[in-house]
Amino acid sequence: KQEVTQIPAALSVPEGENLVLNCSFTDSAIYNLQWFRQDPGKGLTSLLLIQSSQREQTSGRLNASLDKSSGRSTLYIAASQPGDSATYLCAVKNAGNMLTFGGGTRLMVKP
Amino acid sequence: NAGVTQTPKFQVLKTGQSMTLQCAQDMNHNSMYWYRQDPGMGLRLIYYSASEGTTDKGEVPNGYNVSRLNKREFSLRLESAAPSQTSVYFCASSDGAGVADTQYFGPGTRLTVL
């Protein structure tokens, strides 16, 4: 059974800092890995999707990497802003169209 | 473009009552999903429908039933609500096709069972 872990569970940083969020998974037979953002009281918004054959994806100040062999992904946020404050969730897709989610990292960027 | 919509947004039930959560998508997606999210935990899959006319159990199906009414709509029913079903429920949809498949989520239904 796939298990996804995110460390740290919570993170507080000053504005402008570069930061890394971590995600690890136990079964490397994945189709893709996604990073989502969730604002308080809201649904999830997809940020980046890395296919199993890819190593990284970039969108603006966000860069996500994938190392299937070690079961790890990182989400790098450059020059963090208060508007980046949210919970970030990673999820892996295995066979059968099912996503398995990590518990999330709650990020606070202080002005 | 509404995307994925869910009704109701909030609901309070007493133990033993029943209710149906509604979900609709306007993206012509084949696959639809119901998740629950509990404090400090990620989302867990309750049921999913890979295509119209099919449904399958996810990780936590006990106490729930689903209906894929047509390609647009996927409902989740609690027949006899229990306090353990207090949670936030999310519906999602996707094309369901392969390695680039992305799921799109609704805003959630916040359910409290007393």
Side-chain angles (χ1 to χ4, degrees), chain A residues 56-78:
Chain A
E56 65 178 347
Q57 284 288 332
T58 298
S59 176
R61 293 182 294 108
L62 305 180
N63 175 274
S65 67
L66 174 64
D67 184 342
K68 264 197 348 176
S69 61
S70 67
R72 294 176 190 272
S73 175
T74 61
L75 178 67
Y76 175 83
I77 303 177

Side-chain angles (χ1 to χ4, degrees), chain B residues 3 10 14-15 17 22 24-25 30 39 41 46 49 51 53 61 66 70 73 85 88 92-93 105 110-111 113:
Chain B
F10 300 93
K14 294 181 180 178
T15 297
Q17 288 185 318
Q22 306 286 353
Q25 52 93 7
N30 292 314
M41 301 181 71
I46 305 171
S49 171
S51 61
V66 290
N70 47 55
E73 298 173 290
Q85 294 178 305
V88 182
S93 70
F105 284 78
R110 283 145 187 82
L111 174 67
V113 183

